[in-house]
Amino acid sequence: MRIVKHLKKSNWQSSPKMPSFMRARRRAYIASALLASWVGTYLDLYLTGKGLYAFPKRPFPSVFSIDIFFTMVVLPLCTVLFLWLMERLSHLGHLGLIIASAALMAAFETKAEAYGLFVHSAAWSHLYSFAGYGLFLTIIWNFYQRFHRID
């Protein structure tokens, strides 16, 4: 319901609309961040349920068995940064960034273990983390590309 009518003779300019490619990119970023959060949450729930790792220090420990801050805040923000970087790279750069990011995440896991934020079982190898994050980032990148093309 309109209350005020825009006069044709007025100098008041209406706000410019965002170009459709920017709206499509924003929707693709949001959808990819939500997918990353959802997949990360369910993978953490599954793997902690199997006893492969645990989060001794986590928000709301009586409610959640996983670090919900990581899966709901850190992972989506890192996903958007990752996608933003991927858009600016060549195909060979995509592979390099995925490998570097997966290696960085595996290294961060060892640091988190040193601080007591993360505990792995004896059956866990950090090569699993490297391979898992590599696959995860590849899936997120492919989802982003396909979602962005749909619009």
Side-chain angles (χ1 to χ4, degrees):
M1 177 171 120
R2 275 193 167 163
I3 296 176
V4 178
K5 187 177 178 182
H6 181 71
L7 296 175
K8 292 182 182 179
K9 294 181 182 179
S10 73
N11 290 334
W12 195 260
Q13 294 182 4
S14 61
S15 62
K17 289 204 169 207
M18 184 183 295
S20 64
F21 73 91
M22 289 182 75
R23 282 193 307 268
R25 179 178 290 150
R26 186 188 318 165
R27 280 195 304 268
Y29 275 140
I30 291 170
S32 300
L34 287 173
L35 176 68
S37 178
W38 182 76
V39 169
T41 299
Y42 281 100
L43 279 173
D44 277 352
L45 285 170
Y46 178 76
L47 294 172
T48 55
K50 288 285 189 183
L52 292 174
Y53 56 79
F55 300 95
K57 297 178 184 176
R58 62 186 184 274
F60 311 111
S62 61
V63 180
F64 299 108
S65 62
I66 62 170
D67 187 352
I68 202 73
F69 179 77
F70 177 77
T71 59
M72 295 296 185
V73 177
V74 175
L75 194 57
L77 290 176
C78 288
T79 298
V80 170
L81 175 64
F82 167 76
L83 294 172
W84 182 79
L85 290 170
M86 287 289 277
E87 285 183 324
R88 284 145 183 79
L89 296 173
S90 65
H91 290 293
L92 189 58
H94 293 165
L95 180 63
L97 183 61
I98 289 171
I99 291 171
S101 298
L104 192 62
M105 290 306 296
F108 281 155
E109 278 187 359
T110 59
K111 285 293 183 190
E113 282 182 319
Y115 291 119
L117 301 173
F118 205 54
V119 176
H120 284 105
S121 73
W124 188 263
S125 169
H126 287 290
L127 286 176
Y128 300 155
S129 298
F130 175 74
Y133 273 108
L135 180 63
F136 174 80
L137 292 172
T138 302
I139 290 169
I140 296 298
W141 174 241
N142 286 328
F143 175 83
Y144 173 80
Q145 286 183 305
R146 290 179 186 205
F147 193 89
H148 191 25
R149 273 192 229 130
I150 289 172
D151 293 334

